[in-house]
Every structure is written in C-alpha cells, then in structure tokens.
C-alpha cells in the first residue's frame, strides 16, 4: 500500500517531508490539502489529523502528524534510507533531536510569525500585522545568531559539524526558504548578516538537488505574485497621494 | 562518571528529567541553576548550554539540552530502563514523538505563558501581564480540549491509550503541575472542565509515587508564598481604599 502524504507545498514542514521522500525514493502519493481554501479545516481532513495541520501521513493503517515525528518515522521504517539522515549512533541522534526541539520554539516560531505577518497573510486572505511581524523578526534574528554561532560552529557543511545532511538540515532549511516570499530588502536585512547560514542553505540545496528546487517551485511563484501585488498597491498609493 | 543534571525544580521540564532519573534509578548529581538568581544567564552555564535554558545534562564528555531530547537519550543509553517509557516499537515510538512535538507549540506554549503572566512573574522579579496571560489561557484551553478528546481518547490510563506511562506522560503532566502556583479559582476554571485530564494527572502521580511529590515539593512552597503575597496585597488595597 502506497504511503499517503497530506501536504500543501506552501507549508515549510510539508516541503521537508516531500523532499525527504523524493531524496530517499520512497514511493508516495501526494494529496494536496489547500491551506488557502481552508481544506485543512474540513471534517474529512480532521479524520486524518484532528489537529487540522499539514503535513500528515497515512501508511497503511497507521496515521501520523507533526513533521519531525514523520521524518523520524520514515527514516526508521523505510528500507534503504542512508544512516546520515537519522543516525543509529545514539549520541548523534540525541543531538539531532536537540536541534529539532530547539527549532520548535525558536527558529520556527520566529520565521513563521515574521513571514506570515510581514508578507504571506494576504495570500491566505488574512491581514498583515506589523506588531506581530516585529516580534517574529526579533525571535528569528536571535535564532539565526544561535544557528551561526552554535549549531553551525563545526568545520563540516551541515548542522552539528556533519559532512552529510540529516533530517534537521532539511527541516530547518525548508523553514528558512519561507523567507523567499518576503520583499528582497526585508529578506536581505534579516539573512545577510549570517554568512554561515547562507552558505549552509546553499550546501543543503546542492546536497538535495534537483528535488530541492522542484519542491520549492511553488514558493517562487507566490513570491512573484506577492511582488506584483505590492508593486500594484504602491503605484496605486502614489496615484492617490498625487491627487490629494 | 556520574551523570550531571543542571536544573531548577521550578522549571517543569527540569522536574520531568529529575523524575525520570529517580524512577529509573539512574545515578545522577543534581546541580541547581537558580532561575530567580539568573544563574542560567551566567557565562559558566553558557558553557553547559549556550541557549541558557534548563534542563541540560553532561554525561561524561557528552553535553545535551532540550528536555525531550534528554529524556529520549536517557531512556536509550541507560541500561534497565523499562520499555514502556520509550518503546522500541517504531509505531508507538512515532506516536510518542508526535505528542512531544505537539506539546512544544500547544500545551507548553499555552501553560507556560499563562502561568508566568498570571502568577509566577513576581517570584522571578518580573511584572504580571494580563494581556499575555489571556493569550496563554486561550492556547492552554484549546490544548486541554485536544488532550481530552484526542490524546486521552483510548481506554488506557495514559496518553495514546497506554496502560503504562511513557516519557510523554511525564513531560506533559509536569507541565500541567505548573498550574498549581495559580490562584485556586484560576486553576479550577481552566482545569476542572477536563475530567479525563484530571484523572490522567492522578494516574501519573500514582504511577510515579513517591518521587512525584518529592520532585514537586518546591512548587507547593512557591504556591503558598504567592498565596500569602496575593492576600497581603489584597488586604493592603482594602485598607488604602477604606481610607480614601
């Protein structure tokens, strides 16, 4: 029975799960749960994930949600997944678990709050919220500093000094890719001081090519759409002001 | 070499780690990092955990932080830890991982925000914040409903329908015990509609006795201290008002 993966590629943990499946040639059926159409709130999807969030999987009779739990499960039950994604070594595994736990309350919280309230909200039919955007940016900036000074402090290309990526690299890089939908000035202000982070994103892209670009394609489309929207709004505002 | 556990028992994840060690007769040295004295912000502690949070452990040359990562590590590397805490069965393990991930962004976030801003802040030299308390209560109440209707829906005594506790039961119950420092009226308003949650807390206490009470003793002392503080403030306010 084929693994069913319930996702919206606009969701960063959804992309991490799809990317992992593609990289490891796991046979899966992608079922889109369109967040902009609020399909995640439907009674049908509540049968899959009562928390009404993507991603979620159904593997035969087994249902699971929460992207980190899904990535760990897939790495453990599908044959042929290389060890580096979720090492059998208990010490390395514990460190990966530590990054993933840290991610929930720091990088994830900062990036998701910032991106939603600074740029993405209109695409979901929601208003922007400058106050929440500022709070998100503060958490995000502090988290990026910790990424740079601690998690990426080793000599290797990846988190924890590894020379091959783990599920933590996929999860955190997919999170940071969400910053692509921001205005370039905002994105650069936040990311550009963190050279090691930028280099690590490139290493992760290279190590997961060509699937990385394919999985993120939708994000670049939304980036263009939001750019056009902002530019139209800006010229409308200028016209209104010139007539006042 | 003895396991070193850096904790403040006023921190709910710190209590979960100590409780787990005691229950499993893991030989450990408890090193207090006094949050009220801001010892977690000291350069010495930054050497142990650069994120400046408790709990953290040092096991020989190996350092680790994030309580879920610590609980999983301890369950895996210490001999003689019964399987029910973190089952070898990959399906049960995945579900436990899913609860723990959910905990970060729902129950944890709600309970910690609510308790800090409604009651605990003065004990840490911080002001109460009614707006943040209200936001925390909203997340907490929604999370308690999900606990009741989903995670505790099975016929067993514990999360996911189990008849023996897992690390998730310890982690989540230690979180909810933090509500003890609230005014009884506040605590009852939030908890009492959730009968299954109350029953599960009792089951977890029973299964982890007598260590549970010992580990939580400090919390009851702080509860009494805050009660006295509130009562003194209230009678002072009445006196001031009667003279106006």
């Amino acid at each position: 029975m084929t693994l069913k993966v319930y996702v919206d590629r606009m969701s960063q943990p959804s992309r991490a799960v799809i990317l992992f499946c593609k990289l490891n040639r796991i046979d899966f059926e992608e079922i889109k749960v369109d967040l902009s159409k609020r399909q995640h709130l439907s009674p049908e999807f509540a049968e899959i994930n009562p928390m009404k969030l993507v991603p979620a999987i159904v593997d035969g009779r087994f249902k699971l949600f929460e992207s980190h739990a899904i990535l760990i499960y897939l790495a453990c039950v599908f044959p042929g997944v290389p060890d580096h994604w979720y090492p059998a070594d208990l010490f390395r595994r514990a460190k990966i678990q530590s990054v993933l736990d840290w991610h929930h309350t720091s990088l994830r919280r900062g990036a998701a709050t910032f991106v939603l309230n600074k740029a993405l909200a209109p695409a979901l039919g929601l208003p922007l919220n400058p106050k929440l955007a500022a709070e998100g940016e503060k958490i995000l900036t502090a988290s990026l500093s910790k990424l740079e000074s601690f998690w990426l402090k080793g000599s290797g290309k990846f988190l924890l000094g590894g020379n091959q990526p783990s599920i933590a690299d996929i999860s955190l890089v997919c999170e940071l890719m969400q910053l692509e939908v921001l205005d370039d000035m905002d994105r650069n202000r936040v990311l550009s001081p963190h050279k090691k982070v930028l280099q690590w994103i490139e290493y992760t892209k290279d190590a997961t090519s060509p699937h990385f670009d394919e999985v993120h394609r939708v994000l670049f489309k939304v980036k263009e759409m939001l750019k056009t929207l902002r530019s139209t709004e800006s010229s409308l505002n200028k016209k209104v002001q010139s007539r006042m």
Side-chain angles (χ1 to χ4, degrees), chain A:
Chain A
M1 205 177 286
T2 308
L3 173 75
K4 288 191 168 80
V5 181
Y6 294 79
V7 284
D8 182 328
R9 291 190 181 199
M10 277 307 295
S11 120
Q12 51 277 46
S14 288
R15 290 195 302 272
V17 170
I18 301 171
L19 184 56
F20 184 84
C21 288
K22 286 181 178 273
L23 287 163
N24 291 289
R25 295 178 190 167
I26 292 171
D27 191 21
F28 72 101
E29 180 189 350
E30 181 174 339
I31 298 158
K32 182 166 179 177
V33 182
D34 194 326
L35 300 178
S36 70
K37 292 180 183 162
R38 298 177 171 264
Q39 287 177 350
H40 57 301
L41 305 177
S42 71
E44 293 76 23
F45 186 62
E47 289 293 311
I48 305 299
N49 180 2
M51 304 304 167
K52 302 174 183 171
L53 294 166
V54 286
I57 62 166
V58 177
D59 188 20
R61 286 174 302 181
F62 186 67
K63 292 176 189 173
L64 192 64
F65 56 86
E66 285 290 341
S67 69
H68 296 167
I70 293 171
L71 290 168
I72 292 171
Y73 171 80
L74 296 176
C76 292
V77 301
F78 279 85
V81 173
D83 185 72
H84 65 83
W85 291 115
Y86 188 61
D89 177 276
L90 291 176
F91 298 97
R92 289 169 65 204
R93 188 172 274 199
K95 290 282 190 183
I96 288 172
Q97 186 73 45
S98 179
V99 183
L100 291 173
D101 284 325
W102 173 80
H103 181 203
H104 277 295
T105 48
S106 53
L107 192 68
R108 178 89 226 266
R109 191 170 168 194
T113 307
F114 180 50
V115 171
L116 179 69
N117 292 292
K118 188 79 184 175
L120 198 57
L124 298 168
L126 298 167
L128 295 174
N129 185 327
K131 191 169 168 281
L132 285 179
E135 284 175 22
E137 183 172 347
K138 203 174 154 190
I139 300 169
L140 173 59
T141 299
S143 305
L144 287 167
S145 295
K146 289 291 183 195
L147 251 179
E148 184 103 357
S149 65
F150 182 69
W151 297 115
L152 290 168
K153 76 177 172 184
S155 58
K157 290 180 175 178
F158 300 102
L159 294 169
L160 305 164
N163 278 313
Q164 286 182 295
S166 77
I167 55 172
D169 294 283
I170 291 187
S171 179
L172 273 67
V173 170
C174 283
E175 187 70 53
L176 287 179
M177 284 303 290
Q178 207 75 349
L179 301 181
E180 288 290 341
V181 305
L182 294 169
D183 182 283
D184 285 341
M185 204 179 66
D186 290 326
R187 184 176 176 276
N188 291 338
R189 183 183 68 251
V190 173
L191 268 185
S192 65
H194 306 283
K195 304 298 178 205
K196 269 195 153 181
V197 172
L198 289 169
Q199 182 63 69
W200 161 66
I201 294 173
E202 289 308 312
Y203 285 141
T204 306
K205 279 184 189 176
D206 289 349
T208 58
S209 174
H211 304 294
F212 191 92
D213 285 345
E214 196 254 298
V215 165
H216 284 86
R217 199 166 293 149
V218 64
L219 205 61
F220 292 102
K221 278 189 195 163
V222 172
K223 182 187 180 80
E224 286 310 310
M225 189 194 84
L226 289 171
K227 198 185 271 184
T228 310
L229 197 69
R230 281 192 292 264
S231 143
T232 313
E233 270 182 7
S234 163
S235 54
L236 270 174
N237 284 342
K238 276 181 194 159
K239 275 186 191 166
V240 169
Q241 281 170 353
S242 71
R243 285 179 192 176
M244 280 171 81

